[in-house]
Amino acid sequence: MIERSDKSDRLRINEIFHSLQGEADAVGFRTVFVRLTGCPLRCQYCDTEYAFHAGDWHGIDAIVDTVRGYAAKHVCVTGGEPLAQPNCLKLLERLCDAGFDVSLETSGAMNIADVDARVARVVDVKTPGSGESARNRIENFTLLTRRDQLKFVICSREDFDWSKAYLEEHELADRCSILFSPSYTQIAPTDLAEWILAERLDVRFQLQLHKVLWGDVPGK
Ligand code: SF4
């Protein structure tokens, strides 16, 4: 359905759904996910390719009303790459104003400087195994606070070694939480857990809880 709303106040939405947060600091909490259409990257392991093109336009008021209908405290704005739509910044602000605990999942390729300070930003660092490591926006790193999280999806032992060196090179460990996730089906989770222990890395291992519970299906 295409709503009649001012272009300055609308976003193309792929889906809005209700689930348990599967990753990062809010893992396990009942959360409403607002998935925006579109992404300029093409990571080889992408599990949301269905969000690259499909979606309808919705005004911000209608989006906030839909989110409110689930009566959940947590809201996660995700994609695709949500910041590829400039009105995402307005949506984040409006969700914070409405009293939600808001997080943003972003690829690390876009400027995060203008994201509302109340939002917890979960920023990817793309490893070589993703095929998109040239897109990492290093200027973002100095903007990170303890509220934010940097997420590495590890596809191989080479990716792990690269990530360890990258943390040191950019002095990231003290800026915010560092999350290491195994790329789903590409490495065994236990291998990544063992590497972290053997190397004594102070990073947080995580599995995608929603995939453990429901498998790799959209809308969960
Ligand atoms: S940034 Fe995210 S949505 Fe975009 S291609 Fe990579 S994994 Fe998929």
Side-chain angles (χ1 to χ4, degrees):
M1 182 184 75
I2 299 177
E3 293 173 6
R4 296 225 174 274
S5 57
D6 186 336
K7 277 188 184 171
S8 67
D9 196 37
R10 65 179 197 172
L11 290 139
R12 198 160 175 226
I13 300 293
N14 178 264
E15 58 181 349
I16 298 178
F17 63 97
H18 176 225
S19 187
L20 300 184
Q21 176 57 269
E23 302 183 58
D25 278 359
V27 66
F29 285 120
R30 204 162 60 79
T31 300
V32 181
F33 293 84
V34 180
R35 188 181 308 287
L36 274 59
T37 302
C39 182
L41 279 67
R42 291 295 180 267
C43 307
Q44 58 80 14
Y45 49 64
C46 184
D47 56 2
T48 52
E49 291 175 324
Y50 62 90
F52 286 169
H53 303 294
D56 296 323
W57 294 97
H58 297 268
I60 290 178
D61 283 345
I63 297 167
V64 174
D65 282 349
T66 302
V67 168
R68 200 178 275 119
Y70 289 100
K73 185 167 179 251
H74 296 268
V75 182
C76 178
V77 175
T78 186
E81 168 49 76
L83 293 178
Q85 295 191 50
N87 281 346
C88 179
L89 296 173
K90 282 189 194 171
L91 173 64
L92 291 165
E93 190 181 335
R94 290 282 302 282
L95 288 167
C96 291
D97 289 347
F100 295 108
D101 194 331
V102 182
S103 60
L104 167 73
E105 294 181 339
T106 178
S107 65
M110 311 292 292
N111 186 357
I112 63 168
D114 296 326
V115 173
D116 191 295
R118 294 169 290 180
V119 174
R121 299 169 296 193
V122 183
V123 180
D124 290 351
V125 174
K126 297 300 181 188
T127 62
S130 74
E132 289 284 18
S133 60
R135 306 294 291 270
N136 289 322
R137 189 181 162 85
I138 290 164
E139 301 92 311
N140 279 340
F141 295 154
T142 56
L143 303 170
L144 296 167
T145 71
R146 302 298 301 170
R147 189 169 167 67
D148 300 317
Q149 297 132 69
L150 275 180
K151 184 175 111 182
F152 294 72
V153 176
I154 310 291
C155 305
S156 63
R157 176 70 205 205
E158 291 72 29
D159 261 8
F160 176 83
D161 291 337
W162 180 91
S163 301
K164 179 172 178 269
Y166 198 86
L167 286 173
E168 287 166 16
E169 180 187 350
H170 296 283
E171 300 177 337
L172 297 173
D174 294 326
R175 287 196 181 279
C176 63
S177 296
I178 307 293
L179 309 173
F180 273 27
S181 299
S183 178
Y184 192 64
T185 74
Q186 290 195 283
I187 60 168
T190 42
D191 285 350
L192 177 57
E194 296 290 355
W195 299 338
I196 290 170
L197 289 168
E199 297 289 334
R200 304 192 173 187
L201 274 194
D202 287 325
V203 300
R204 188 170 171 190
F205 172 87
Q206 65 165 14
L207 290 175
Q208 293 174 297
L209 177 66
H210 50 293
K211 289 186 182 169
V212 174
L213 291 170
W214 291 292
D216 191 7
V217 295
K220 284 292 187 186

